[in-house]
Amino acid sequence: MQKTSVFKSQEGREKIRGYYDMILNAFPLGKRYVETTFGRTFILEAGKSDRPPMVLLHGSCSNNAAWLGDLSALSREYHAFAVDIPGEPGNSEEYRLNLQSDEYSRWLAEVLDALALKKAILVGNSLGGWLALQFPAAHPERVQALILLAAAGLVPPKQAFIEQTQKIPMDRSSAKATKDTILGDSVLPAEVLQFMMLVFEHFNPIIGALPILSDVQLAGLSMPVLIIAGISDATMDATLAAKRLKAQVPQAEVILLEGSQVITTAADKVLPFLAGIL
């Protein structure tokens, strides 16, 4: 694990985490930390403990606030755990793990152990989708179903997106331009947009492409799989990603959304999928 903070400064860390905590305090959710060999991990918890467990993994430059729109619906049917990924602008460890190693999968295994979850439904968005793919490739017995929202790791990212991330941190004008490029015509609450601007100014994101999963890794995914992606995704060719996944994982169900830049909510598609397979 790299021991360089992902925040640009102590002031930036306090601004981002302070705003994040303000958002979370408006919601009646369980909040807890678990200890791992990679540092503390912050978790939001919702739903009854006798329901099937579901682990939610957010995207890059984000945190568990990304799930607030879906947690209410998901937690009516599942015991949901939204997990702040280390090295992202949340409340978990502020040092990034090694993307070229198995550290993220080892970290997630430790989180599941700390939560006493032998097996869970994994839901991952973008970076979280990459992790949600990596983990069952190493631990297929621990994943009941896999749900991928605009998941990285299936095809290389678009060069324009890589170039955009290399500009972060940036001034307010550049941050707004980057936000508009990534979101396109997607509409988000003002609080979420304000948080994005804070991140663009005060956070060091992952630079470059995430490792692409091999055909062998993908072919080993024997559990039910759903991928949801927007055809107009600014980060990758979503159609090509879905095609590659389907070629290696024939049982995968694919939902491509016309005109969608980012996946802002998915419970209306995730719940019917799970109801049909579990």
Side-chain angles (χ1 to χ4, degrees):
M1 183 171 61
Q2 301 173 12
K3 284 295 184 179
T4 301
S5 174
V6 292
F7 297 103
K8 290 294 293 180
S9 65
Q10 175 69 26
E11 179 186 10
R13 178 196 296 110
E14 291 175 357
K15 284 184 177 181
I16 289 174
R17 287 185 166 175
Y19 200 87
Y20 178 37
D21 289 340
M22 181 190 72
I23 292 174
L24 294 185
N25 287 337
F27 293 83
L29 298 167
K31 303 175 182 69
R32 63 193 287 192
Y33 285 91
V34 299
E35 297 294 335
T36 75
T37 56
F38 301 96
R40 289 206 311 169
T41 296
F42 177 71
I43 297 170
L44 295 180
E45 185 174 358
K48 296 181 179 179
S49 60
D50 61 348
R51 300 293 173 87
M54 171 183 286
V55 173
L56 302 160
L57 301 165
H58 60 78
S60 178
C61 296
S62 186
N63 53 36
N64 287 335
W67 300 112
L68 293 177
D70 276 340
L71 267 176
S72 177
L74 294 175
S75 62
R76 286 196 287 269
E77 303 293 334
Y78 299 95
H79 189 191
F81 300 91
V83 183
D84 270 350
I85 298 173
E88 295 301 319
N91 288 338
S92 289
E93 187 64 53
E94 65 187 79
Y95 305 107
R96 187 163 289 134
L97 279 58
N98 185 349
L99 290 160
Q100 305 301 325
S101 73
D102 65 349
E103 286 188 348
Y104 279 93
S105 290
R106 287 162 49 204
W107 161 76
L108 185 54
E110 291 188 28
V111 170
L112 294 186
D113 290 344
L115 295 173
L117 303 180
K118 292 183 178 179
K119 197 169 191 175
I121 299 162
L122 281 192
V123 183
N125 181 24
S126 189
L127 168 67
W130 171 82
L131 175 52
L133 282 164
Q134 292 277 344
F135 184 75
H139 304 282
E141 75 286 354
R142 303 200 69 172
V143 180
Q144 187 172 12
L146 180 61
I147 297 169
L148 308 168
L149 311 180
L154 292 169
V155 294
K158 293 178 179 177
Q159 185 58 35
F161 174 72
I162 293 294
E163 293 172 359
Q164 200 113 38
T165 62
Q166 291 172 343
K167 299 175 183 177
I168 303 174
M170 53 185 70
D171 59 31
R172 298 285 292 186
S173 176
S174 298
K176 184 180 185 304
T178 298
K179 172 184 68 66
D180 292 343
T181 297
I182 293 173
L183 292 180
D185 57 3
S186 300
V187 178
L188 295 179
E191 295 83 358
V192 176
L193 297 176
Q194 175 64 24
F195 177 76
M196 289 181 69
M197 296 294 281
L198 284 174
V199 169
F200 287 152
E201 287 186 78
H202 301 291
F203 176 73
N204 287 318
I206 294 170
I207 300 297
L210 294 169
I212 303 298
L213 277 82
S214 69
D215 287 350
V216 172
Q217 286 176 304
L218 292 177
L221 302 178
S222 58
M223 69 289 299
V225 178
L226 169 66
I227 183 170
I228 305 171
I231 292 176
S232 299
D233 193 308
T235 68
M236 66 172 177
D237 185 329
T239 302
L240 185 61
K243 182 179 179 180
R244 180 170 182 248
L245 178 69
K246 187 70 175 176
Q248 300 301 326
V249 189
Q251 80 275 14
E253 183 173 324
V254 175
I255 299 177
L256 291 177
L257 304 175
E258 293 285 348
S260 296
Q261 285 280 103
V262 295
I263 309 298
T264 56
T265 182
D268 61 333
K269 298 171 180 63
V270 170
L271 290 172
F273 170 76
L274 291 175
I277 63 170
L278 300 182

